[in-house]
C-alpha cells in the first residue's frame, strides 16, 4: 500500500488542466495499490480554502498548502520533499512541461529516487506502480519499475485525462516550509501567454497545419503566410512533435493528446501522418498534404497529395492564392 503525491500548478485563481489530469491519474492508480492521492499546492493568498478543497472532485483526499512563490521549481521541490519525508508517500506523480520536468529532476536528486519523464501510461502491477514512456521517436515503449521507497512519475503534457469522480472536498493542511537558500534565489518577474496560445483551431474553417518538416520554429512563418493568404476563418495548427520541441504553442496541437478538428480544408505541411495525429483530424472535409516523401502515411488519407519540398511549394501556393483573389 502506498500513497501518491501530486503537484498542482495554478495561475490566476485556477488550476491548470495538465495538473488536474495528473490528480485524476494519481487518484485512480493510488486506489489500485490500496493508497490514496494527496496534492501539494504552493502560492499566496489566491490559494483559498475553497479552491484547494475543489481538488477533492478529481480524487485528492488531502491538499498540502504551502506559502511560497508559484511557478518556480525549487520551492516546490522543498515542499514536496518535506511532505514526503513526513508522510511516507511511495510515489510522486505529476504533469510534465518545463516546470514539471524541472521539479521531477530536483526531487529525484533530493530524494535519491528513480524518475521517469514523458510518461504516457501508468499501471499497477503486484501492488506497485509501473510507468510507460515512448522512446525512439515514439516507435517503442520503455517500461520503468521502481526500486527504493519513492518512485517519481512525470507525465507528458496532458497525457493524463481529467475525471471528476464526484468526491467531496479535500482536507486542506497548511505546511510550514523553510526554503533552501538556493530556492529563493530565482524570482518570478512576469508570467504570460505564448504567441498563438489563444488560437482557436477547433472553430476554424481552414487549417494550415505544420509538422517537423518545417525544420525549425521559424518555419512556421511559411504556415502563417499561407494562412494569411487564405484569409477569413483560417488558423495555423501543429503536430505534437513540434509542440514538444517548443516551435509552436500547445493550444495549436491536433491529435490524441491535443484537439480534435473537422475544418472544411485541412492542409498538412511536413507532417508524416502518425495515427495519434490522424485521430484528431481525420474527419476534416478536405485534406491536402505536402510531403517530400511519396510514401508518407499522410497520403493514405489525403484527398490531394503534393510530393515535394514545402519550402518551395508553400510560398508559391500563397502567391497563387493571393493572385487568384486579386484577380
Ligand atoms: C501517446 C502518444 C500520444 C501522441 N499524441 C499526439 C498528438 O496528439 N498529436 C500528434 O501530432 N502527435 C502525437 N503523438 C506523436 C506522433 O506519434 C508523431 O510522433 C508525431 O505526430 C509526428 O509529428 P510530425 O508529423 O510533425 O513529425 P515526423 O513524423 O518527423 O514527420 C515529418 C514529415 O515531414 C516531412 N518533411 C521533412 N522535410 C520536408 C520538406 N522540406 N518538405 C516536405 N516534407 C518534409 C518528412 O518526410 C516527414 O514525413 C503522440 C505519440 C504518443 C506515443
Amino acid at each position: 500500500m502506498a500513497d501518491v503525491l501530486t503537484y498542482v500548478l495554478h495561475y490566476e485563481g485556477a488550476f491548470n488542466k495538465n495538473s488536474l489530469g495528473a490528480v485524476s491519474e494519481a487518484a485512480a492508480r493510488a486506489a489500485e495499490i490500496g493508497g490514496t492521492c494527496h496534492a501539494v499546492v504552493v502560492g499566496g493568498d489566491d490559494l483559498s480554502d475553497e479552491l484547494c478543497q475543489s481538488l477533492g472532485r478529481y480524487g485528492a483526499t488531502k491538499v498540502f498548502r504551502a506559502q511560497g512563490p508559484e511557478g518556480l521549481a525549487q520551492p516546490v521541490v522543498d515542499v514536496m520533499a518535506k511532505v514526503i519525508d513526513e508522510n511516507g508517500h511511495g510515489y510522486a506523480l505529476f504533469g510534465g512541461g518545463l516546470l514539471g520536468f524541472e521539479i521531477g529532476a530536483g526531487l529525484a536528486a533530493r530524494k535519491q529516487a528513480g524518475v521517469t519523464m514523458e510518461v504516457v501510461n501508468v499501471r499497477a502491477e503486484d501492488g506497485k506502480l509501473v510507468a510507460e514512456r515512448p522512446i525512439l521517436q515514439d516507435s517503442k515503449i520503455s517500461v520503468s519499475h521502481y526500486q527504493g521507497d519513492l518512485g517519481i512519475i512525470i507525465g507528458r503534457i496532458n497525457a493524463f485525462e481529467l475525471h471528476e469522480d464526484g468526491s467531496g472536498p479535500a482536507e486542506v493542511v497548511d505546511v510550514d516550509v523553510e526554503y533552501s537558500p538556493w530556492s529563493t534565489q530565482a524570482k518570478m518577474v512576469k508570467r504570460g501567454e505564448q504567441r498563438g496560445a489563444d488560437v482557436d483551431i477547433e472553430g476554424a474553417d481552414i487549417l494550415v497545419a505544420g509538422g517537423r518538416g518545417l525544420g525549425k520554429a521559424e518555419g512556421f512563418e511559411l504556415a502563417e503566410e499561407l494562412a494569411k493568404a487564405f484569409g477569413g476563418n483560417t488558423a495555423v495548427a501543429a503536430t505534437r512533435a513540434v509542440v514538444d520541441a517548443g516551435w509552436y504553442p500547445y493550444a495549436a496541437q491536433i491529435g490524441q493528446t491535443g484537439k480534435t478538428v473537422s475544418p472544411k480544408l485541412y492542409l498538412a505541411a511536413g507532417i508524416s501522418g502518425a495515427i495519434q495525429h490522424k485521430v484528431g483530424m481525420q474527419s476534416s472535409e478536405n485534406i491536402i498534404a505536402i510531403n517530400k516523401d511519396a510514401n508518407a502515411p499522410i497520403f493514405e488519407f489525403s484527398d490531394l497529395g503534393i510530393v515535394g519540398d514545402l519550402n518551395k511549394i508553400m510560398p508559391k501556393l500563397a502567391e497563387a492564392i493571393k493572385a487568384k483573389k486579386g484577380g
Side-chain angles (χ1 to χ4, degrees):
M1 183 196 124
D3 292 331
V4 181
L5 186 66
T6 185
Y7 164 66
V8 185
L9 178 70
H10 72 103
Y11 181 48
E12 294 184 339
F15 291 123
N16 140 300
K17 181 181 159 219
N18 185 31
S19 299
L20 292 177
V23 177
S24 298
E25 182 73 15
R29 299 293 80 80
E32 287 175 359
I33 54 170
T36 182
C37 161
H38 299 157
V40 156
V41 291
V42 180
D45 295 341
D46 51 339
L47 280 174
S48 65
D49 285 351
E50 204 185 356
L51 185 65
C52 296
Q53 285 163 350
S54 73
L55 290 176
R57 291 211 297 269
Y58 306 95
T61 55
K62 201 182 273 187
V63 176
F64 295 96
R65 173 174 61 187
Q67 289 284 319
E70 172 64 347
L72 296 175
Q74 285 303 322
V76 177
V77 172
D78 286 346
V79 179
M80 290 192 88
K82 178 172 168 136
V83 170
I84 290 167
D85 286 345
E86 292 177 355
N87 299 272
H89 294 91
Y91 298 91
L93 183 163
F94 43 98
L98 288 181
L99 182 66
F101 297 146
E102 207 180 328
I103 296 169
L107 192 60
R110 183 80 60 90
K111 298 293 302 162
Q112 296 290 293
V115 58
T116 315
M117 308 271 189
E118 298 261 3
V119 171
V120 295
N121 190 41
V122 186
R123 55 189 165 80
E125 203 177 284
D126 300 330
K128 294 185 168 182
L129 293 187
V130 174
E132 296 182 344
R133 63 166 295 209
I135 53 168
L136 301 173
Q137 293 204 349
D138 296 340
S139 61
K140 298 276 177 228
I141 295 287
S142 134
V143 179
S144 300
H145 295 256
Y146 293 88
Q147 296 178 326
D149 297 333
L150 178 70
I152 304 174
I153 301 168
I154 318 289
R156 266 196 179 172
I157 298 179
N158 295 325
F160 303 129
E161 265 183 54
L162 184 159
H163 298 288
E164 293 200 31
D165 71 357
S167 302
E171 179 192 353
V172 182
V173 179
D174 284 310
V175 197
D176 267 336
V177 181
E178 197 176 318
Y179 289 110
S180 313
W182 58 84
S183 295
T184 48
Q185 295 299 303
K187 299 259 178 293
M188 178 64 73
V189 180
K190 193 177 169 193
R191 286 176 73 165
E193 296 292 325
Q194 249 180 321
R195 178 175 68 115
D198 56 351
V199 64
D200 175 19
I201 60 168
E202 286 153 305
D205 289 330
I206 301 176
L207 282 177
V208 179
R212 204 147 32 193
L214 288 174
K216 51 184 189 262
E218 291 71 31
F220 266 88
E221 285 164 18
L222 286 176
E224 285 169 351
E225 270 304 305
L226 189 51
K228 213 161 102 192
F230 278 119
N233 188 12
T234 304
V236 173
T239 63
R240 164 142 217 165
V242 297
V243 167
D244 283 350
W247 295 2
Y248 221 65
Y250 171 72
Q253 186 193 314
I254 291 174
Q256 185 184 322
T257 45
K259 290 176 181 160
T260 301
V261 295
S262 48
K264 292 188 178 126
L265 174 63
Y266 172 89
L267 189 147
I271 293 178
S272 59
I275 179 70
Q276 297 89 353
H277 186 76
K278 183 184 174 190
V279 293
M281 47 63 73
Q282 60 194 348
S283 54
S284 304
E285 274 179 46
N286 297 286
I287 300 172
I288 300 179
I290 306 172
N291 199 303
K292 67 177 183 185
D293 174 7
N295 295 315
I298 189 120
F299 290 135
E300 289 164 21
F301 49 94
S302 297
D303 299 291
L304 177 67
I306 306 169
V307 180
D309 182 355
L310 60 83
N311 295 298
K312 293 186 184 143
I313 296 166
M314 289 174 84
K316 287 208 170 117
L317 199 53
E319 267 173 44
I321 294 166
K322 280 188 217 156
K324 174 106 180 140
K325 282 181 156 181

